[in-house]
Amino acid sequence: MTKEALKEAIIQRLRINCGCSPRQAGDGDMLRACAMVLRDCMAERGATTREERDRCQERQVHYLSLEFLMGRSLLKNAYNLGLLESLTQAVEELGFKAADLFEQEPDAGLGNGGLGRLAACYLDSMTTLNIPATGYSICYELGIFKQKIVEGQQVELPDDWLDIGGAWLLPRPQDAEEVHLGGTVRTKWDGGQLMVVHEDYTRVLAVPCDMEIAGYDTDHVNTLRLWQARSPKSVDMQLFSQGQYLQASEERTMADAISKILYPEDNHYEGKSLRLKQQYFFVSATVQSITRKHLEVYGTLRNFHEKNVIQINDTHPALVIPELMRIFMDDAGMGWDEAWNITKNSVAYTNHTVLAEALECWPQTLFETLLPRIWQVIVEIAHRWQRQVEEHFHDPAKTEKLAIVWDGGVRMANLCIAGGMSVNGVSALHSEILRRDVFRDAYEMCPGQFHNVTNGVDHRRWLSQINPGLHSLICDLTGDGYLLHPEQLQGLDAYESDTSVLHRLEEIKGENKARFAHWAKRQQGVILNTDAVFNVQVKRLHEYKRQLLNVMHILYLYQRLQDSPNMDLRPQTFLFGAKAAPGYAVAKRIIRLIGSLADQINHDPLCKDRLQVVFLENYRVSMAEALMPASEVSQQISTAGKEASGTGNMKFMMNGAVTVGTLDGANVEMHQVLGDENIFLFGLKAEEAAALSRHYDPKLLYDRDPVLRRVLDGIRDGFRDGVSYEDIYRRLLFGDNCPADQYLLLADFVSYCDAGRRMIDTYGHRERWNQISLHNIARSGGFAADRAIRDYARDIWHVPCKE
Ligand SMILES: *Cc1c(COP(=O)(O)O)cnc(C)c1O
């Protein structure tokens, strides 16, 4: 499509869909028009892709996730469609400043953090690698909340993204599915066959809204299918005519609630009934849609597992297992064994966490009332699985650990292990912990079922698109082959001693820092010191991620500066960005603490041009895109054994930031390719941390170490704003319905400060630092989503993909 053709198409969309001319159009109108033009372009290619797929009858991938953190799509799609330049020109010629316009696109925030962003990166790679794949999720009206900081505290605002973001979606009411909730189940004989009858249920309509996904350098297009919940009835006219106006629309309200809002908990399970409704609504609509389509093409479900693989992103979509069983038995009339064989060979499960509070365990009573037929199927699965376990181990303790239903709770991870063909962790260390600890017994029963696929990120978005300066340097040195073959980034290693390349790298970082400073000034009015090292920790706020350890180190530096005002201290700007789940009180307190510390340091003349602390409001994909290219130090400091992988760590690495981190998650593999000399490691290893936790007393460390004691006392006493943080101090030293300092901050403090020292000393040796930065970029190819998707395709899905 040429620039002129794009212009014509945009003008037409403006007139038809927004009722305005380019001169009358606002930014919102223009964004909607551009989105619709690219959407049409992709829809056309999508039709061809789907025809081809039905003709070839290859195995398809269905990627199910309650979260897809897509972020913005306009630049991404234009980039992948090869239209970036012509779109930019077209928009400018229609009287808009392209860069400013693109910055107005709202993020599609249909996810919390890493898990949701992973799904988005994988869609890009699956499409680029020509894998026939569909993503499925819920079309939440409200995505992840917008964060505002008011008087130091987080306030949540609704994220109404559909107003403009909806322009990417194609509603397909003709493909709607009906989902049944509640009601009762009875059996009856029909023609000599025992039939299951589900009745008196509430019907909810699931309407698909499709978002087309373009790949890079391919005509292949995949789809992200987002289900919207609607009541099949509008209002009950009988109730209405009796004057019961509220009751008349009750069912409608109930249905609308299901796709209203994303649950904002990251790495945390909430046993809310509406959440279970969301999960089943999503799963049932998706499975019905997949099986219906399969029947249309093949006329039978008996070969379903040969032609389909369903990957589930954590246990949130685990009900695919009983839902497939229900459809195979109740609708297709299969017997248990055949239905089970097909189900078992269709579903693969990705585990994302070992944190106990994140493992889903639903109350049995909720299943009995909300999903009576699914409950019956689960009970039968659980019985058969238990018999298998007993026969294998003859050990009641293992029977209990592996049980699917136990003590009134339904354990979703065990359901996934029993009902799927594959379980995978998301980094080498995490997969090892699953095999040796969390799922030890299941691993012993079925070792072949366990895999590792280390996470990866879309390097085209997270490097080429957001860091054009670095992209062009890479192209100058090694060509653009890395776009489809990220391992070619290795070629950069050859320039480790080329001073002009190292200097250019430093310049690019400097330009990116200035650009980000400009962005931050416009966004929230802060003035960043671009002469200081940009030392960054951005991710969801969680105690295990240890933002508080970062705070302790900053306070330690500040106290040293107070002792020796004339000391030689290289300037550092500490940047934080993090949303706290609205119900996570401690996380919100830590945000407030960061604000208090920032206020203290930024107002102390002693710190001027030396220390700066900034909390960046509303961390989200589009902020990460502005920030990663400007970052110099990446804080990846979770308690070893707790972060399954991390993906933020990979985005930083690709952009040349140097990691200060623990041997946790994918940091372990980053260290493997980087060597000790290109990463600043510190702290306990996973096994040491687990061993220490068994007899840990942080109070001993506090009593013994005056430096540590002073830092903690400083937190207790608070800062110039007069807010006390004694609660946090007490939580660390004595606990509070939880073990004291569960995440071992005090145990790692000294080692962390030492890593900070080594890092900042090295930064002073500019040539050496730039070399480390270069090595990080050069060896980041293994952390591209393309590599991860090739792993899935080869080891788990058994589908071909582009070389
Ligand atoms: C990548 C990303 C994350 C994940 O960060 P981690 O440091 O791996 O937890 C979270 N949120 C956003 C917006 C991201 O882009």
Side-chain angles (χ1 to χ4, degrees):
M1 220 175 178
T2 62
K3 176 199 72 184
E4 288 305 324
L6 268 176
K7 252 170 81 177
E8 278 309 305
I10 293 169
I11 291 169
Q12 197 184 16
R13 276 299 180 182
L14 279 174
R15 302 195 82 89
I16 295 172
N17 294 86
C18 310
C20 60
S21 70
R23 283 166 60 99
Q24 298 162 322
D27 284 353
D29 299 317
M30 195 60 186
L31 283 169
R32 273 188 286 262
C34 290
M36 283 188 258
V37 168
L38 297 194
R39 184 193 72 183
D40 293 348
C41 186
M42 291 185 289
E44 209 175 313
R45 296 187 187 197
T48 315
T49 301
R50 283 185 288 273
E51 266 172 12
E52 183 69 2
R53 181 165 70 199
D54 290 350
R55 201 176 53 75
C56 292
Q57 310 205 333
E58 293 164 39
R59 193 177 212 198
Q60 295 182 52
V61 176
H62 307 277
Y63 196 92
L64 272 63
S65 177
L66 265 292
E67 304 186 16
F68 278 86
L69 193 52
M70 301 297 284
R72 292 180 180 150
S73 293
L74 192 52
L75 276 180
K76 178 71 196 178
N77 285 328
Y79 179 94
N80 276 355
L81 293 167
L83 293 176
L84 189 49
E85 218 172 301
S86 26
L87 180 72
T88 305
Q89 287 173 5
V91 161
E92 298 261 344
E93 288 179 20
L94 291 172
F96 289 77
K97 183 93 187 62
D100 293 350
L101 180 75
F102 298 154
E103 192 61 27
Q104 296 300 311
E105 184 185 357
D107 282 34
L110 309 184
N112 275 284
L115 173 147
R117 185 53 231 175
L118 185 79
C121 286
Y122 282 1
L123 273 185
D124 181 272
S125 281
M126 289 188 290
T127 312
T128 298
L129 298 180
N130 290 342
I131 295 174
T134 311
Y136 300 86
S137 194
I138 290 175
C139 189
Y140 304 105
E141 249 173 77
L142 304 173
I144 187 66
F145 63 85
K146 288 187 182 151
Q147 178 191 56
K148 278 207 68 88
I149 304 296
V150 179
E151 288 166 21
Q153 303 188 71
Q154 169 175 298
V155 175
E156 301 92 20
L157 300 174
D159 167 47
D160 183 8
W161 71 286
L162 276 172
D163 180 36
I164 292 171
W168 290 110
L169 304 176
L170 263 178
R172 295 188 188 275
Q174 70 279 15
D175 289 350
E177 300 287 351
E178 196 177 288
V179 175
H180 297 169
L181 295 167
T184 52
V185 178
R186 67 182 171 85
T187 48
K188 68 163 190 195
W189 288 97
D190 183 38
Q193 254 206 316
L194 191 63
M195 303 285 288
V196 175
V197 186
H198 186 194
E199 53 199 4
D200 301 328
Y201 45 74
T202 304
R203 296 182 303 151
V204 178
L205 211 58
V207 180
C209 295
D210 289 351
M211 184 186 282
E212 304 291 357
I213 307 292
Y216 175 72
D217 194 37
T218 176
D219 289 337
H220 191 91
V221 164
N222 283 323
T223 304
L224 171 58
R225 173 157 279 199
L226 301 171
W227 296 103
Q228 210 171 37
R230 281 285 129 87
S231 168
K233 300 185 222 157
S234 51
V235 283
D236 186 324
M237 287 314 287
Q238 206 169 347
L239 285 172
F240 187 77
S241 58
Q242 290 163 12
Q244 298 174 277
Y245 304 116
L246 280 180
Q247 290 90 324
S249 55
E250 202 168 45
E251 202 174 19
R252 189 180 178 82
T253 311
M254 203 269 258
D256 287 349
I258 291 179
S259 56
K260 180 62 81 181
I261 186 161
L262 166 79
Y263 274 85
E265 281 84 27
D266 184 72
N267 265 308
H268 192 85
Y269 154 73
E270 291 270 309
K272 299 269 172 52
S273 141
L274 180 59
R275 171 70 173 175
L276 186 61
K277 280 184 199 163
Q278 285 188 336
Q279 292 185 353
Y280 182 68
F281 162 79
F282 158 61
V283 158
S284 181
T286 302
V287 173
Q288 289 185 66
S289 158
I290 299 172
T291 51
R292 181 185 312 285
K293 181 78 205 171
H294 182 91
L295 266 176
E296 276 171 27
V297 176
Y298 298 97
T300 174
L301 290 174
R302 302 218 134 85
N303 64 344
F304 181 84
H305 54 299
E306 291 160 17
K307 300 295 177 186
N308 300 279
V309 54
I310 296 176
Q311 185 70 47
I312 61 175
N313 201 21
D314 213 323
T315 58
H316 315 147
L319 293 176
V320 287
I321 292 163
E323 180 69 1
L324 279 169
M325 290 297 288
R326 181 187 74 75
I327 288 173
F328 291 151
M329 296 189 301
D330 299 358
D331 298 352
M334 290 182 203
W336 181 279
D337 292 331
E338 188 182 13
W340 183 250
N341 180 51
I342 299 172
T343 301
K344 174 96 189 164
N345 287 298
S346 301
V347 179
Y349 154 56
T350 303
N351 173 281
H352 280 274
T353 180
V354 300
L355 299 182
E357 69 268 28
L359 295 179
E360 290 190 292
C361 181
W362 290 95
Q364 169 181 335
T365 49
L366 217 47
F367 270 87
E368 287 166 343
T369 53
L370 198 63
L371 308 168
R373 178 57 182 146
I374 292 300
W375 171 242
Q376 289 180 332
V377 176
I378 289 177
V379 167
E380 185 59 27
I381 294 173
H383 276 147
R384 289 172 184 245
W385 173 245
Q386 180 172 334
R387 243 173 289 147
Q388 220 180 309
V389 171
E390 280 166 353
E391 273 167 32
H392 193 275
F393 289 112
H394 307 285
D395 179 348
K398 300 203 170 181
T399 301
E400 171 174 347
K401 269 186 72 181
L402 285 167
I404 293 170
V405 180
W406 193 266
D407 200 19
V410 186
R411 298 171 180 165
M412 305 303 259
N414 287 351
L415 174 62
C416 291
I417 293 170
M421 58 171 172
S422 160
V423 181
N424 78 281
V426 289
S427 72
L429 174 66
H430 171 61
S431 294
E432 178 72 12
I433 291 171
L434 292 184
R435 288 187 296 250
R436 294 221 313 228
D437 184 18
V438 186
F439 298 145
R440 185 193 181 105
D441 301 323
Y443 175 60
E444 199 184 316
M445 272 178 77
C446 25
Q449 206 175 309
F450 283 74
H451 301 271
N452 174 61
V453 180
T454 299
N455 283 165
V457 300
D458 170 7
H459 71 293
R460 287 170 291 273
R461 179 186 286 257
W462 291 110
L463 198 173
S464 329
Q465 200 189 310
I466 66 172
N467 199 338
L470 182 55
H471 169 73
S472 86
L473 176 62
I474 296 169
C475 290
D476 289 349
L477 301 177
T478 65
D480 66 359
Y482 85 98
L483 287 169
L484 283 169
H485 300 282
E487 67 283 357
Q488 288 180 15
L489 286 168
Q490 277 272 9
L492 294 175
D493 269 341
Y495 298 89
E496 62 176 2
S497 307
D498 186 324
T499 48
S500 75
V501 167
L502 296 178
H503 183 69
R504 181 72 198 118
L505 200 58
E506 184 174 331
E507 272 179 357
I508 292 166
K509 188 61 79 177
E511 289 157 13
N512 290 338
K513 284 170 73 176
R515 196 148 50 96
F516 182 74
H518 192 72
W519 186 91
K521 169 78 175 33
R522 249 188 324 173
Q523 289 281 311
Q524 63 181 68
V526 292
I527 310 282
L528 300 180
N529 176 11
T530 50
D531 294 329
V533 182
F534 278 13
N535 188 329
V536 184
Q537 187 174 22
V538 286
K539 45 183 74 252
R540 285 298 289 254
L541 210 137
H542 205 297
E543 286 167 281
Y544 85 82
K545 292 178 181 278
R546 300 203 293 193
Q547 281 92 352
L548 189 49
L549 180 59
N550 194 348
V551 166
M552 286 166 62
H553 172 245
I554 298 168
L555 182 51
Y556 156 76
L557 289 180
Y558 179 49
Q559 291 173 343
R560 274 185 51 203
L561 189 59
Q562 288 176 314
D563 291 346
S564 335
N566 296 319
M567 72 186 280
D568 193 19
L569 190 68
R570 181 170 296 281
Q572 290 199 67
T573 289
F574 293 91
L575 297 166
F576 288 89
K579 286 175 181 173
Y584 191 173
V586 179
K588 289 182 147 182
R589 287 289 289 162
I590 294 171
I591 288 179
R592 189 156 194 204
L593 169 62
I594 296 169
S596 293
L597 177 67
D599 172 70
Q600 175 76 33
I601 285 180
N602 301 343
H603 284 92
D604 191 332
L606 192 62
C607 297
K608 189 170 159 22
D609 297 331
R610 302 214 268 184
L611 290 182
Q612 182 181 31
V613 179
V614 172
F615 188 90
L616 299 164
E617 227 167 65
N618 199 29
Y619 181 55
R620 60 198 184 280
V621 172
S622 56
M623 181 192 288
E625 290 171 351
L627 178 58
M628 294 294 163
S631 297
E632 295 176 289
V633 178
S634 160
Q635 296 283 338
Q636 306 300 335
I637 60 178
S638 52
T639 315
K642 301 296 182 189
E643 185 77 271
S645 163
T647 47
N649 47 2
M650 304 169 184
K651 302 170 197 163
F652 280 106
M653 182 188 189
M654 279 177 187
N655 285 281
V658 179
T659 301
V660 172
T662 46
L663 275 175
D664 198 14
N667 296 355
V668 175
E669 289 143 275
M670 287 167 51
H671 170 243
Q672 247 167 33
V673 297
L674 290 171
D676 289 336
E677 61 283 11
N678 295 304
I679 184 169
F680 295 94
L681 289 182
F682 73 95
L684 298 164
K685 317 247 188 304
E687 285 187 16
E688 296 166 342
L692 176 61
S693 293
R694 285 176 218 126
H695 58 84
Y696 181 50
D697 184 1
K699 187 69 165 46
L700 286 178
L701 298 172
Y702 174 87
D703 290 334
R704 201 187 297 155
D705 180 348
V707 176
L708 173 60
R709 190 160 63 239
R710 185 170 167 205
V711 165
L712 290 172
D713 291 351
I715 289 175
R716 179 195 59 205
D717 300 342
F719 305 97
R720 70 197 270 277
D721 64 6
V723 182
S724 154
Y725 293 94
E726 186 163 0
D727 53 339
I728 292 178
Y729 166 91
R730 293 192 59 82
R731 194 174 174 83
L732 288 175
L733 291 181
F734 310 110
D736 175 23
N737 289 319
C738 66
D741 188 21
Q742 325 188 35
Y743 296 106
L744 311 177
L745 282 69
L746 277 65
D748 275 347
F749 175 73
V750 173
S751 167
Y752 181 52
C753 292
D754 181 62
R757 204 155 21 238
R758 285 184 282 128
M759 181 277 290
I760 205 70
D761 287 348
T762 308
Y763 191 90
H765 304 278
R766 296 310 294 145
E767 176 122 346
R768 175 67 197 126
W769 182 270
N770 294 330
Q771 205 171 52
I772 295 176
S773 177
L774 184 79
H775 287 315
N776 269 268
I777 302 162
R779 299 171 199 184
S780 67
F783 302 99
D786 287 357
R787 189 273 313 147
I789 288 302
R790 288 195 165 98
D791 288 353
Y792 277 103
R794 187 188 60 240
D795 299 340
I796 298 175
W797 302 337
H798 307 296
V799 298
C801 63
K802 184 152 113 190
E803 285 301 311

